[in-house]
């Protein structure tokens, strides 16, 4: 899957969870969705892409999920 598709998908997931008023629950929801439904390769590709493009536009909930100690890997 292309990086562009991964970014589009993860940002859509984050927009869905952005409706949650509790920020911690929203971040947890994004992280858990990625862990539950993305393949290990997709998660690795997302992490690698984010490391190479730290200034790229990712939804704030995605950034928070990636920064959590448990991460998404």
């Amino acid at each position: 899957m292309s990086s562009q598709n991964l970014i589009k998908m993860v940002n859509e997931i984050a927009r869905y969870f952005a409706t949650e008023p509790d920020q911690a629950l929203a971040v947890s929801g994004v992280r858990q969705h990625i862990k539950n439904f993305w393949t290990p390769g997709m998660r690795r590709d997302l992490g690698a892409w984010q490391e190479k493009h730290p200034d790229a536009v990712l939804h704030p909930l995605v950034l928070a999920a990636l920064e959590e100690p448990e991460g998404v890997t």
Side-chain angles (χ1 to χ4, degrees), residues 31 34-35 39-40 43-48 65-66 69-73:
R31 185 178 59 250
I34 293 168
K35 283 184 171 183
T39 66
R43 295 192 301 264
R44 278 191 306 273
D45 289 351
L46 175 63
L66 292 173
E70 304 92 34
V72 295
T73 54

Side-chain angles (χ1 to χ4, degrees), residues 11-57:
N11 282 332
E12 288 175 354
I13 292 164
R15 281 192 294 276
Y16 171 81
F17 283 101
T19 61
E20 169 59 56
D22 184 324
Q23 179 80 4
L25 284 176
V27 171
S28 177
V30 171
R31 185 178 59 250
Q32 198 60 47
H33 181 91
I34 293 168
K35 283 184 171 183
N36 288 346
F37 299 107
W38 284 34
T39 66
M42 291 168 70
R43 295 192 301 264
R44 278 191 306 273
D45 289 351
L46 175 63
W49 184 89
Q50 198 271 331
E51 284 182 21
K52 289 181 183 177
H53 305 92
D55 297 328
V57 180

